[in-house]
Amino acid sequence: MKSANEFYIYALYDPEIGVKCLFYIGQTKKSLKVRLNKHCYYARNFKRGGRSDNPDKQNWVFDILKRGERPSIVLIDRCYDQQEADEKEKFWISFCKSMGHPILNKSTGGLCGGTFSLSEEARKKTIRICFKQDRNT
């Protein structure tokens, strides 16, 4: 049974190419199935004119959907707190890039997809926004 504090680090790949070529690394507290569904939803929404901070990833996901398939998702790590999840996500993005995978992540990883230099006040606001969006989607 999944622990309430369990985080999953996952990778997305094209099912035609296989797991030997990873395209995106992410983290979630939800099931991998739920997270994959969100990636597909966001890609379809982007193609209907929605906004995205990562249009390359949205286009990649949508191209797979157009073929009548879905990206594949694989668990690559798990951890038990947000700080560890952020560190592992950063590690896997960096490692996969160093191994030549065409990683589409726009940031180096971390909470809500970003590790940017923010003031403490901006960081707290970003965290509040990310967690609010996670509950509403």
Side-chain angles (χ1 to χ4, degrees), residues 35-122:
R35 188 64 190 103
L36 180 57
N37 287 340
K38 283 187 177 186
H39 279 292
C40 294
Y41 169 80
Y42 293 141
R44 286 185 191 103
N45 188 55
F46 175 68
K47 283 301 191 178
R48 289 186 205 115
R51 293 188 58 235
S52 175
D53 291 334
N54 192 339
D56 293 336
K57 179 187 63 134
Q58 303 305 357
N59 285 324
W60 173 76
V61 171
F62 192 77
D63 286 345
I64 294 171
L65 294 172
K66 279 193 319 190
R67 296 193 320 244
E69 297 182 300
R70 292 163 52 93
S72 294
I73 190 167
V74 63
L75 177 68
I76 56 175
D77 214 333
R78 70 178 72 211
C79 40
Y80 300 94
D81 65 50
Q82 185 66 63
Q83 182 178 350
E84 185 183 13
D86 290 346
E87 290 169 5
K88 285 188 174 188
E89 183 183 25
K90 290 176 197 176
F91 165 79
W92 283 108
I93 290 170
S94 177
F95 176 77
C96 289
K97 283 182 176 182
S98 75
M99 297 302 291
H101 292 273
I103 298 297
L104 296 172
N105 294 68
K106 291 295 183 191
S107 73
T108 57
L111 184 61
C112 296
T115 54
F116 308 102
S117 298
L118 298 174
S119 69
E120 186 60 28
E121 181 181 326

Side-chain angles (χ1 to χ4, degrees), residues 5 12 16 21-22 46 64 75 85 90 92 97 122 125 134:
N5 292 327
L12 296 179
E16 276 190 3
C21 189
L22 304 177
F46 175 68
I64 294 171
L75 177 68
K90 290 176 197 176
W92 283 108
K97 283 182 176 182
K125 182 177 180 182
D134 188 46

Side-chain angles (χ1 to χ4, degrees), residues 3 30 46:
S3 161
K30 310 247 185 239
F46 175 68

